[in-house]
Amino acid sequence: MKKIGIVLLIIIILPIGFLIFNEIGKLSETEKVLEETYNNQLQTILFSVNQYSDDILNSWANKVNELNEDDQLLKNFINENLAIKSIFLLNDEKIESAKFIFDEKLISSSDSIKSVVKSILVSNKDLISRLAEYQKAGYRKLEPLQVNNVSDLAVVVFSKQNDNKVYTITGFVINPQEFVRKILLPRLQQISQENFIILVRDNENRFIVSSNNTNYSGQVEFEKQMWLIPHYKIGIVLTGETIQDLIRNRATNNMILIAILLLVLIAAVIFVYRAVKKELELAQLKADFVSNVSHELRTPLALISMFAETLELDRVKNDEKKKEYYSIISQEANRLGRIVNSILNFAKMEAGKRKFNFESINLNDVVENIYQTYSYHLQNKGFKFEKQLTENLPEVNADAEAISEAIINLIDNAVKYSADLKEVTLKTISTGNGVIVEVTDKGIGISPEDQKKVFDKFFRVSSGLIHNVKGTGIGLSLVKQIIEAHKGTIELVSEPGKGSTFRIILPIDLNN
Ligand code: ADP
């Protein structure tokens, strides 16, 4: 059994354990990949927002190019776009003479805007000349200008694409807050989903707009500068569960699953181990049974053939001796018959083929009958054989022959497992709703742990005095099966060295 245990451990638990640890390792790897993928996705979202503002400004630039320096058309264009404060045209070499176009409503603040933008243009001179180079090369590029200390406007310039040599550069003066609110926000609301909100704010946190229009809660997971409005940032705030939470929950769930799997496996292994153990024990018991039965059969056969031969050869002259030999032969033949009968009955019982002939009977009669038949035999063997019958015993519905067989089996055992104190008592008792038949001996008794097993088929106590007592191990299991077929129970009270009492309890026959 130990070997089987070890084998089970090696072929099941070890590989599974290895697999589980491997799986745990893989899990954390997968989670890392997952986190990276997720982060990449968030970054992509920010990228796409930037790309979107870039597209918008590019489309404006196209439009302005098309309008071809027509003041009135440019004015109209500004008027349509609240996010544009002004459009200006300039030559990279003459920043001071830049031409500004304003819509009517901003005319009042136009001078201050002009001076601010001009100073910004001056401080970005290098960039302006680079754009002029691009213009010469024939391609257009949008560039934001660094606007130090000014947060309520943004300036984006691009190289003009026409042959006009007066102006080489065009620019937008943008109201960034309007741009974010009117142009970006609808887009942000489109992109953002349940799990995150997109946030746009200026560097000083004086202006904050979020895609769900509420005060955002939670920490900003990623934040990127806006390409064209560099003093503004776009960020992502995870709402609800963060990816770490998700991963942690997933890992915990996986661990719980693995733990349950492991427990189920361990339970299965224990179950298999127990089943195998039981089967092996039963196989062992069966092997013992075969050898026990052969032994049981061989002894009476040997005696019968020995005495029969002796008689046949007429070697016994003394009549009394002859009578004794005949009686031994008949006794042993009886014993053989009993053994064969009980094996047949046992086989029938096992196959569920045994039929009982139920009728109302008085157990006193059954016990009395058995007593009469066996008292001579038992007394001959030196037993004190007693009966204590309760009068007016209620009748029970039973098969008299089967019940006799059960009681005889118990008496047989009482005789077999008695040592020096040879006493067997039969008793009938009425309990009101049942009738008890007790068989008591003062024999070797049964230890508490074996008391549970003696009714199992093929089981024989394998230690102590009874080593030399013959038996098949099916007697008590047969008794139990008979009693249970009668809806009765069998109890055992025993103390090693003091003796045993087997108690058959049958329900009284209510039809009587
Ligand atoms: P067996 O053919 O071995 O007697 P049983 O099924 O009748 O088979 O009994 C099972 C075992 O229970 C016996 O081997 C014996 O160890 C124990 N046993 C049964 N009856 C008694 C008893 N009266 N006293 C002590 N041990 C008993």
Side-chain angles (χ1 to χ4, degrees):
M1 271 328 286
K2 241 188 208 164
K3 253 193 221 160
I4 291 177
I6 292 170
V7 168
L8 277 179
L9 197 77
I10 290 175
I11 64 171
I12 298 180
I13 300 275
L14 278 189
I16 299 265
F18 178 74
L19 217 96
I20 284 172
F21 279 111
N22 198 21
E23 211 42 42
I24 290 173
K26 262 201 214 144
L27 258 180
S28 53
E29 238 172 69
T30 323
E31 266 135 29
K32 232 200 235 154
V33 173
L34 209 93
E35 195 175 355
E36 266 170 28
T37 317
Y38 188 72
N39 288 348
N40 281 344
Q41 250 167 14
L42 296 186
Q43 306 263 24
T44 313
I45 287 169
L46 295 186
F47 184 89
S48 80
V49 174
N50 257 329
Q51 189 68 51
Y52 179 72
S53 5
D54 206 61
D55 289 348
I56 295 285
L57 275 150
N58 260 310
S59 73
W60 289 355
N62 283 340
K63 185 80 185 169
V64 168
N65 260 338
E66 280 168 25
L67 298 180
N68 219 358
E69 294 173 24
D70 181 318
D71 285 9
Q72 190 49 50
L73 290 180
L74 285 174
K75 247 183 216 171
N76 290 350
F77 181 64
I78 296 172
N79 191 24
E80 282 162 21
N81 282 285
L82 288 176
I84 304 176
K85 282 187 171 185
S86 167
I87 292 176
F88 57 86
L89 302 158
L90 72 117
N91 189 307
D92 55 304
E93 279 149 22
K94 290 176 228 150
I95 288 176
E96 276 309 315
S97 56
K99 173 181 169 188
F100 281 81
I101 293 160
F102 283 99
D103 182 40
E104 305 301 335
K105 55 188 182 306
L106 268 180
I107 285 293
S108 55
S109 55
S110 63
D111 283 345
S112 72
I113 293 178
K114 262 188 212 171
S115 73
V116 170
V117 173
K118 274 184 187 167
S119 77
I120 291 172
L121 287 169
V122 170
S123 63
N124 283 280
K125 221 175 160 174
D126 290 349
L127 184 70
I128 303 283
S129 0
R130 217 177 316 133
L131 277 181
E133 294 294 316
Y134 292 156
Q135 195 252 350
K136 276 179 209 137
Y139 77 96
R140 190 183 75 205
K141 192 164 190 277
L142 279 172
E143 287 283 358
L145 297 188
Q146 219 56 50
V147 292
N148 298 328
N149 308 325
V150 189
S151 71
D152 59 344
L153 58 82
V155 183
V156 175
V157 287
F158 61 97
S159 34
K160 258 169 93 345
Q161 254 172 345
N162 56 22
D163 300 330
N164 188 332
K165 293 286 180 235
V166 182
Y167 300 116
T168 50
I169 310 284
T170 313
F172 294 113
V173 181
I174 293 170
N175 176 343
Q177 302 189 354
E178 280 295 306
F179 183 81
V180 170
R181 272 201 207 98
K182 294 272 150 51
I183 294 165
L184 269 194
L185 193 58
R187 179 70 178 175
L188 300 185
Q189 280 161 346
Q190 228 174 29
I191 309 175
S192 72
Q193 293 160 5
E194 229 175 79
N195 316 349
F196 59 84
I197 53 180
I198 305 174
L199 187 85
V200 181
R201 55 178 171 178
D202 67 352
N203 274 344
E204 280 88 34
N205 268 346
R206 276 177 301 190
F207 170 79
I208 301 180
V209 160
S210 64
S211 59
N212 66 351
N213 287 328
T214 57
N215 282 338
Y216 66 97
S217 59
Q219 78 187 85
V220 180
E221 194 73 16
F222 288 107
E223 206 159 40
K224 278 264 147 75
Q225 237 180 14
M226 282 185 69
W227 297 341
L228 297 177
I229 312 178
H231 52 299
Y232 275 59
K233 295 176 287 188
I234 334 165
I236 284 198
V237 179
L238 296 182
T239 56
E241 279 181 317
T242 64
I243 184 74
Q244 275 84 5
D245 288 340
L246 285 174
I247 288 172
R248 207 172 306 124
N249 288 349
R250 228 182 68 128
T252 324
N253 285 347
N254 283 333
M255 286 300 185
I256 290 172
L257 270 179
I258 285 173
I260 291 173
L261 187 79
L262 201 66
L263 282 182
V264 169
L265 258 171
I266 289 172
V269 167
I270 290 173
F271 179 78
V272 168
Y273 178 81
R274 287 218 178 130
V276 169
K277 189 173 163 200
K278 215 168 164 194
E279 278 308 308
L280 280 181
E281 277 168 2
L282 197 64
Q284 181 62 43
L285 285 176
K286 278 183 183 162
D288 291 350
F289 168 73
V290 171
S291 91
N292 286 337
V293 168
S294 332
H295 202 79
E296 282 272 83
L297 297 178
R298 206 181 299 132
T299 321
L301 274 178
L303 285 174
I304 289 171
S305 75
M306 184 181 86
F307 286 108
E309 234 169 76
T310 317
L311 290 168
E312 199 182 19
L313 295 175
D314 220 7
R315 286 207 187 117
V316 193
K317 302 295 173 206
N318 182 334
D319 270 357
E320 213 164 290
K321 264 270 176 275
K322 267 189 193 165
K323 214 172 152 192
E324 190 192 329
Y325 285 6
Y326 281 128
S327 135
I328 289 173
I329 288 174
S330 123
Q331 256 179 44
E332 293 302 315
N334 273 342
R335 200 169 123 195
L336 259 183
R338 270 213 317 278
I339 294 165
V340 171
N341 256 343
S342 72
I343 292 172
L344 285 179
N345 279 341
F346 175 77
K348 254 194 209 161
M349 276 286 216
E350 282 287 286
K353 282 189 185 143
R354 182 157 183 183
K355 296 264 177 310
F356 293 99
N357 185 16
F358 288 101
E359 53 191 348
S360 248
I361 56 166
N362 191 320
L363 285 178
N364 273 346
D365 298 341
V366 175
V367 172
E368 183 65 49
N369 240 327
I370 296 171
Y371 181 79
Q372 294 305 335
T373 319
Y374 283 83
S375 63
Y376 173 75
H377 175 68
L378 259 72
Q379 274 152 13
N380 241 358
K381 285 192 157 187
F383 274 84
K384 186 176 160 199
F385 190 33
E386 283 191 354
K387 57 170 180 171
Q388 295 167 14
L389 307 185
T390 301
E391 279 179 30
N392 299 324
L393 205 63
E395 303 215 315
V396 294
N397 189 28
D399 180 332
E401 204 180 304
I403 297 294
S404 293
E405 187 186 333
I407 298 170
I408 292 166
N409 255 311
L410 294 179
I411 296 173
D412 226 30
N413 280 348
V415 172
K416 278 201 295 191
Y417 304 111
S418 282
D420 301 333
L421 201 53
K422 294 175 186 286
E423 262 185 56
V424 175
T425 310
L426 294 180
K427 218 191 247 183
T428 57
I429 307 160
S430 167
T431 64
N433 51 8
V435 178
I436 298 175
V437 180
E438 269 184 13
V439 180
T440 305
D441 65 59
K442 299 259 165 71
I444 58 170
I446 303 167
S447 68
E449 61 266 29
D450 286 337
Q451 284 178 22
K452 279 175 240 137
K453 300 186 200 154
V454 289
F455 295 102
D456 292 349
K457 54 190 170 193
F458 309 129
F459 178 83
R460 307 198 69 220
V461 176
S462 55
S463 61
L465 270 175
I466 62 143
H467 262 311
N468 10 357
V469 179
K470 292 179 214 86
T472 55
I474 57 173
L476 283 182
S477 94
L478 197 62
V479 172
K480 189 172 177 225
Q481 286 182 19
I482 291 173
I483 301 307
E484 279 172 359
H486 282 75
K487 300 196 169 58
T489 49
I490 179 148
E491 289 174 0
L492 164 60
V493 182
S494 183
E495 206 179 313
K498 295 252 169 77
S500 317
T501 295
F502 285 86
R503 190 175 290 147
I504 292 172
I505 307 161
L506 294 183
I508 59 169
D509 186 359
L510 293 174
N511 299 325
N512 240 288

